[in-house]
Amino acid sequence: MIKTIIRKEFLATLRDGRLLTLGIALLLLFVGFFLASAYELQQLRAEKHRVGTTAKEQWNTQSVKNPHAAAHYGIYVFKPDTPVAALDPGLRPYIGQSLWLEPHKRNLTRFSPAADQVLAGRFDQATTSFVLTALLPLLIVALTFNSVSQERESGTLRMLHSLGVNAGQLLFGKLLGLLSAFALVLAPALLVAAVVLLGNFAFTLDDVLRLLVLLVLLNLYYGIFAAVAIAASASFNTSRTALFCLLGFWLASVFIAPRLGAVAAEMLAPNPSASEFWREIKDDIDHGLEHDGDHEQRAKAFEAQVLAQYGVTRKEDLPVGFVSLNRQHNDAYSVKVHALHFDALRDNFVAQQHLSHLASWLGPSLALRSLSMTLAGMDLAHQRHFEDAAEQYRRYFINLTEDWDRERSRGTERKATGAEADWRSVADFSYQAPDIGFALQAAELDLLVLLLWLSLSVGLLSLSARRLVP
């Protein structure tokens, strides 16, 4: 019986003029936004590669100078984007695209695309992910709000009841039939996306797995909206009431929950201002962390330790450059303080992300959007992974230049120099992005929320079936 219901609902949905009109319109929107997003991503990746190569070549071709002076020239590094980012840019528009690595301090990323936009362009940005997470669920609502109530109003439901049709099979058959028709209409857009991605980007196995998992999660997401819509249509007496309630659910899930969650997170776990953040780092370096002593005390203790280590009484008699040794000592403490504050700030970002899920009771959209960003590698966890790798590289090349300065100097003199051969010996920054396991672990809470909503929607549909009145 359920196969008959699925087939009937599948054909009825395909014949529905709403699916043809709204479906084609949304598919055109999806294809348009996706092509624009893929082109933008392709251009951005090429620009990052070009600028990164130019910046490294400028580093390599520096003139003869002191190694520490060369280090102050700095090196720019860029976070690579995965092909999946064409579907969801995530936080990329709001997070800096480059990281400047220099001695003595750790920097935040710079030059976010949003900062370059005019004010009007910062609002209501339409993207491929918006079509997938907001407009397609609205299409499902438009197709299903009267799937049961219309049959009740026309008397068809009473006739089916008199024939002994099981209510559970009827509602779940409608759900599966509708989702089958929806998937068939969505298939051409996915085919276009696959052709464009494969034709313009080099895919790894990890990229393919990320895309497949995202596709599965999107299907679960659409299933939640379809199940809730059919349950509402079965529970309310009129189609108008069901439509009104479903539009409220869609608005709450897609628009209200993300904003409410962001406000709650900011209130419960506020971030320090930029000036406070940098001031606290400077204060901890100057005055020292607990039991470390202030800068002057640490400097005296280090000088005594170095003199004792080399068996001399004056800095001028050291067989290596004391200035470089002292800088390395100070930079090591600076690294420790910066790591402490950067980790605290980013831990607070994670806490805010978790607190934002306080609004997930309004709908599954918040969880799905977070999952989509994570699988695209455009979330906070992937950004932190990149920044930590860049910081390791910064320490590598700064310590290398200090080693040259120390070994080519004596005592307090500063006569060490480096040449192009030295600058070219610094290895290029090579970043290995984490795999899908890292992404899924980072998105555990989002995945749990989505599965809870799936369970709730199926439960509501089952309850509606038991209470279905012809």
Side-chain angles (χ1 to χ4, degrees):
M1 174 61 72
I2 192 169
K3 290 182 180 180
T4 303
I5 296 173
I6 293 174
R7 183 175 180 277
K8 178 262 179 187
E9 195 67 27
F10 174 76
L11 295 176
T13 304
L14 290 179
R15 293 167 183 162
D16 194 325
R18 292 172 298 178
L19 179 61
L20 181 63
T21 303
L22 297 176
I24 291 177
L26 289 182
L27 290 182
L28 290 175
L29 277 177
F30 172 84
V31 171
F33 287 141
F34 176 75
L35 291 176
S37 180
Y39 176 77
E40 179 187 4
L41 178 63
Q42 191 176 28
Q43 295 299 309
L44 181 61
R45 286 166 59 127
E47 183 179 4
K48 285 182 177 181
H49 176 73
R50 182 174 63 253
V51 175
T53 302
T54 301
K56 186 57 168 65
E57 185 60 23
Q58 288 174 340
W59 162 272
N60 290 342
T61 55
Q62 290 183 86
S63 60
V64 175
K65 62 179 68 174
N66 178 269
H68 183 66
H72 271 286
Y73 190 85
I75 296 178
Y76 276 100
V77 295
F78 299 86
K79 178 178 178 290
D81 298 314
T82 68
V84 191
L87 290 172
D88 192 344
L91 299 177
R92 188 183 66 210
Y94 312 101
I95 294 179
Q97 297 297 291
S98 65
L99 194 57
W100 187 39
L101 310 179
E102 61 173 333
H104 311 312
K105 64 176 294 188
R106 182 175 181 175
N107 291 314
L108 297 169
T109 51
R110 301 179 172 189
F111 311 123
S112 66
D116 296 329
Q117 294 175 347
V118 296
L119 183 61
R122 299 183 190 179
F123 297 95
D124 299 325
Q125 290 183 332
T127 63
T128 310
S129 62
F130 180 75
V131 177
L132 292 174
T133 61
L135 297 185
L136 288 181
L138 183 60
L139 173 61
I140 291 175
V141 168
L143 292 173
T144 55
F145 77 93
N146 62 349
S147 58
V148 179
S149 56
Q150 186 179 46
E151 292 184 350
R152 179 187 290 113
E153 293 166 355
S154 65
T156 304
L157 190 62
R158 185 181 299 277
M159 182 183 66
L160 291 173
H161 180 72
S162 66
L163 292 174
V165 176
N166 180 273
Q169 290 186 350
L170 176 65
L171 297 192
F172 279 95
K174 285 180 174 293
L175 173 65
L176 295 176
L178 173 112
L179 290 177
S180 299
F182 185 75
L184 182 63
V185 173
L186 192 60
L190 296 179
L191 181 61
V192 171
V195 170
V196 171
L197 287 176
L198 292 173
N200 292 277
F201 301 97
F203 268 75
T204 65
L205 176 60
D206 187 71
D207 294 329
V208 174
L209 291 175
R210 285 172 180 262
L211 276 174
L212 291 176
V213 171
L214 178 58
L215 182 61
V216 170
L217 293 176
L218 282 171
N219 281 319
L220 294 180
Y221 177 66
Y222 299 143
I224 292 171
F225 273 93
V228 170
I230 294 173
S233 183
S235 300
F236 295 108
N237 292 326
T238 64
S239 300
R240 180 179 299 178
T241 304
L243 178 61
F244 179 80
C245 293
L246 287 171
L247 287 177
F249 172 68
W250 176 79
L251 285 170
S253 178
V254 172
F255 293 106
I256 298 176
R259 288 159 176 76
L260 185 61
V263 170
E266 185 61 33
M267 290 178 60
L268 297 174
N271 290 316
S273 66
S275 58
E276 290 174 340
F277 178 73
W278 294 115
R279 186 179 65 250
E280 289 173 358
I281 290 178
K282 185 178 184 302
D283 288 345
D284 282 345
I285 292 174
D286 291 342
H287 301 109
L289 301 172
E290 189 176 1
H291 307 305
D292 286 347
D294 60 23
H295 177 73
E296 184 177 353
Q297 292 171 330
R298 297 194 308 271
K300 289 181 179 179
F302 178 71
E303 180 179 337
Q305 176 190 337
V306 170
L307 294 177
Q309 178 183 347
Y310 287 94
V312 297
T313 58
R314 298 189 314 155
K315 293 181 291 185
E316 292 77 4
D317 298 330
L318 286 169
V320 295
F322 177 78
V323 175
S324 180
L325 273 175
N326 192 52
R327 272 199 308 261
Q328 282 186 297
H329 169 70
N330 290 333
D331 283 352
Y333 196 81
S334 176
V335 164
K336 176 182 176 181
V337 173
H338 276 81
L340 182 68
H341 285 272
F342 269 71
D343 286 345
L345 177 64
R346 297 182 302 182
D347 287 344
N348 197 63
F349 289 158
V350 174
Q352 286 185 331
Q353 187 176 15
H354 290 168
L355 287 169
S356 68
H357 282 295
L358 292 173
S360 290
W361 60 274
L362 290 172
S365 300
L366 186 60
L368 192 279
R369 287 172 61 179
S370 295
L371 281 164
S372 177
M373 285 192 298
T374 303
L375 289 170
M378 296 288 110
D379 65 325
L380 291 172
H382 284 79
Q383 182 70 16
R384 183 171 184 169
H385 188 276
F386 163 74
E387 291 178 0
D388 286 342
E391 172 62 11
Q392 292 297 323
Y393 180 72
R394 185 187 76 88
R395 297 177 196 175
Y396 150 72
F397 90 83
I398 296 300
N399 284 331
L400 185 58
T401 57
E402 291 294 0
D403 289 342
W404 295 335
D405 198 352
R406 183 186 67 249
E407 297 301 326
R408 299 172 188 179
S409 301
R410 296 293 180 270
T412 56
E413 67 177 14
R414 298 189 62 187
K415 297 181 180 180
T417 59
E420 185 173 326
D422 294 314
W423 319 141
R424 288 190 179 277
S425 69
V426 176
D428 294 343
F429 175 63
S430 179
Y431 175 64
Q432 181 63 46
D435 61 16
I436 189 174
F438 174 91
L440 293 177
Q441 184 176 5
E444 284 179 345
L445 181 59
D446 304 307
L447 189 58
L448 176 62
V449 170
L450 189 68
L451 292 177
L452 286 174
W453 264 106
L454 180 64
S455 301
L456 178 62
S457 64
V458 172
L460 287 174
L461 193 60
S462 299
L463 182 63
S464 299
R466 289 198 294 269
R467 297 183 175 183
L468 183 61
V469 177

